[in-house]
Amino acid sequence: MAAEAKPATVSPAKSAETHPAAAATPASVPLTRREFLNYAWLASLGFVLVVGFGGATYFFSFPRFKAGEFGGVFALGKAGDVLPKPDDPPIHNQEGKFWLTNVNGAIIALYDVCVHLGCLYDWQTVSGRFECPCHGSKYTKDGTYIEGPAPRSLDRMVIQFVAGNQPVATTDAKGDALAIPSDTSVELVVNTGKIIEGAPHG
Ligand code: FES
């Protein structure tokens, strides 16, 4: 009687030699509790950073102040309708905290806070100048320092004349008075968020 053929047995070492790909596959090692907690902590930190950075970017991508509130832009209307004439007294805009003043046909927007200690000064028709009730600082119609404890002339805001959403004239970096365009149908815009310090005296 013929002997039954037995299947050949291959030892694990022999098998690995025969199939290199199998030998290269690493055995999976379970994470320790410490490793798991480290990965979880890193993932949480990454999430917080992404959300925080994204939130800050979103927040700062919008203007901080709305149009028509102090710190934002005030669109006042057609220059011919809203500007004081050269001999008119300055016009106070309480919401925007500025005085519009016409000096020889050019316009300035003066921040209405005294540069000494922050009181609200006022226009005095009799003397034809701005006077602060707190400590007596006085300024000319264009905000230039005359006398008193104030360290400088009044601060100014940036103004623009705008036609069809395009600026046609803008206050320069020194805050010089802005000449009124011949076409007074342009719109006057005051940017109360852009304040230019007055010049020091003495
Ligand atoms: S706060 Fe105006 S003079 Fe002092």
Side-chain angles (χ1 to χ4, degrees):
M1 187 174 173
E4 194 177 327
K6 288 185 180 176
T9 56
V10 180
S11 69
K14 182 95 176 173
S15 175
E17 282 173 18
T18 312
H19 305 286
T25 304
S28 65
V29 178
L31 291 177
T32 65
R33 177 182 164 79
R34 177 185 293 272
E35 287 170 335
F36 174 78
L37 290 175
N38 282 343
Y39 285 133
W41 183 83
L42 284 173
S44 304
L45 181 64
F47 178 76
V48 168
L49 288 175
V50 168
V51 170
F53 182 74
T57 303
Y58 179 80
F59 178 79
F60 286 111
S61 64
F62 291 97
R64 290 172 55 208
F65 299 97
K66 295 178 192 163
E69 73 176 22
F70 179 69
V73 169
F74 281 67
L76 299 180
K78 290 182 180 176
D81 298 335
V82 298
L83 290 178
K85 303 283 186 293
D87 292 332
D88 287 347
I91 297 172
H92 192 203
N93 186 307
Q94 289 188 328
E95 292 75 29
K97 302 184 185 298
F98 60 84
W99 287 88
L100 269 187
T101 180
N102 185 325
V103 181
N104 302 322
I107 295 298
I108 300 168
L110 295 169
Y111 185 24
D112 71 2
V113 172
C114 180
V115 295
H116 178 221
L117 291 177
C119 289
L120 296 181
Y121 59 83
D122 207 351
W123 175 253
Q124 300 298 323
T125 305
V126 174
S127 62
R129 58 192 183 188
F130 292 107
E131 297 181 6
C132 181
C134 291
H135 312 98
S137 289
K138 297 176 177 59
Y139 312 88
T140 64
K141 193 180 180 187
D142 70 356
T144 301
Y145 170 86
I146 299 173
E147 64 183 35
R152 61 179 191 269
S153 296
L154 295 174
D155 297 338
R156 301 178 175 192
M157 294 176 179
V158 170
I159 65 177
Q160 278 187 328
F161 290 111
V162 176
N165 289 329
Q166 294 298 318
V168 296
T170 303
T171 304
D172 64 18
K174 292 188 297 179
D176 289 337
L178 194 60
I180 302 170
S182 53
D183 177 6
T184 55
S185 67
V186 295
E187 191 170 15
L188 174 65
V189 174
V190 178
N191 190 339
T192 63
K194 288 191 175 178
I195 294 177
I196 300 167
E197 271 198 3
H201 62 80

